[in-house]
Amino acid sequence: MTLSNGGNVTGVERRFGRLTLGLMGGAGTGSTQINQPNSKITSDSWHLGLYMSQPLGSRVFMDMAGFYGESENEIKRTQVLPTGTVSGRGKMLSQEFLLQAGLGAQLASSRSPWSIVPSARIAYAGVHQNSATEERAGSLGVRSNAKWNSTALSRTGLDVSREGRIGRVPTRMSANAAWVHDFAVDPRKLGVRWIGEQGSTWTISSGRRAADALKLGVSLEIGLGDRRTLRLYGEQEFQQNAKISRGGVTFTIGF
């Protein structure tokens, strides 16, 4: 199968003394093309979140974040039968949340152009999938039960950056590496049944997910004038049986 995702995140933050508070909102869409004719999953989602960062001393800081969102997933499935093909379609709504807390430390001196920040974070995330009914497939359609899934994640990383200039343009080049561990990688199970045969419920199961992932990323920030910054970034994630690429553009305006 092939997965692709895209979207945008918009946020605003403000400082109250040494405390930084922020509000973020995002919307996106994604698709999963399955290696079967005309079989596809499309998801449209939105999320809202709050975050904060508070220094605990001259070097150490604490941050916390919480997010909630919803997703509408449309599943299109093609069944190849001796009599022809049957194309079913169903919709499943899901609610998602994430809570995260972490600590970090600035190892470089305040007068240095370098920034060296090791950090450790832990997060708890949950997803509730509503029940769904597959339509347009007649008695061969499938009904799925509602399901609640959750997981806990840890992230240990190092971010290194350096401020400089390209000609007269201020820049900031950064690189980061992180190890992410998933504490709940057992297969996800879901109860389903045929529409045309009541009482015949069975269980489908996903594969076991990779427990660990290595993330490597680079970014370049360019000053575009008074309190305006353009940031380009890319990230590569390595798992046991998968490789995921991400990239994007961030534009920041200071008020």
Side-chain angles (χ1 to χ4, degrees):
M1 63 182 179
T2 303
L3 295 84
S4 62
N5 297 278
N8 70 82
V9 177
T10 302
V12 60
E13 66 177 35
R14 184 177 179 182
R15 289 187 178 181
F16 298 90
R18 301 181 69 192
L19 172 67
T20 300
L21 292 177
L23 171 67
M24 298 177 68
T29 184
S31 66
T32 303
Q33 185 70 48
I34 303 171
N35 189 23
Q36 178 76 15
N38 300 319
S39 294
K40 188 177 183 180
I41 301 173
T42 304
S43 301
D44 296 309
S45 61
W46 62 266
H47 294 83
L48 291 175
L50 294 168
Y51 65 90
M52 59 154 286
S53 180
Q54 173 67 52
L56 301 179
S58 60
R59 296 283 183 178
V60 180
F61 64 88
M62 174 186 68
D63 59 47
M64 300 180 67
F67 295 88
Y68 173 81
E70 295 185 356
S71 178
E72 182 179 89
N73 312 286
E74 184 179 62
I75 302 100
K76 184 178 181 181
R77 188 172 68 106
T78 299
Q79 301 181 64
V80 181
L81 305 173
T83 57
T85 60
V86 175
S87 296
R89 182 173 296 179
K91 287 189 177 181
M92 177 185 292
L93 301 177
S94 62
Q95 297 80 38
E96 309 160 351
F97 77 88
L98 180 141
L99 301 173
Q100 177 179 277
L103 293 171
Q106 175 61 263
L107 302 185
S109 67
S110 58
R111 292 176 292 180
S112 172
W114 290 89
S115 173
I116 305 173
V117 180
S119 62
R121 293 181 173 89
I122 190 165
Y124 178 76
V127 178
H128 178 263
Q129 297 175 202
N130 294 2
S131 59
T133 300
E134 186 178 24
E135 301 175 344
R136 304 182 185 178
S139 61
L140 293 177
V142 169
R143 286 180 178 151
S144 66
N145 296 337
K147 181 65 176 178
W148 169 262
N149 291 311
S150 62
T151 189
L153 303 166
S154 67
R155 182 186 187 278
T156 305
L158 177 66
D159 295 81
V160 179
S161 62
R162 190 183 193 282
E163 296 181 354
R165 287 182 175 273
I166 299 178
R168 297 183 178 181
V169 179
T171 61
R172 180 183 179 92
M173 293 180 288
S174 304
N176 63 80
W179 170 59
V180 179
H181 180 73
D182 191 337
F183 292 94
V185 297
D186 290 337
R188 304 293 174 87
K189 298 180 180 180
L190 183 66
V192 297
R193 63 185 182 274
W194 296 116
I195 292 177
E197 187 175 350
Q198 300 298 326
S200 59
T201 302
W202 73 94
T203 300
I204 59 174
S205 176
S206 69
R208 180 180 173 89
R209 304 192 311 280
D212 299 289
L214 174 64
K215 295 185 177 183
L216 302 175
V218 294
S219 67
L220 172 64
E221 295 181 32
I222 304 172
L224 300 180
D226 186 27
R227 298 186 178 184
R228 287 171 174 80
T229 304
L230 180 69
R231 178 174 178 263
L232 312 175
Y233 69 91
E235 183 182 82
Q236 189 76 58
E237 179 177 340
F238 300 92
Q239 299 179 5
Q240 183 177 1
N241 297 314
K243 184 171 66 174
I244 303 171
S245 301
R246 300 183 182 92
V249 179
T250 301
F251 183 58
T252 303
I253 303 175
F255 295 95

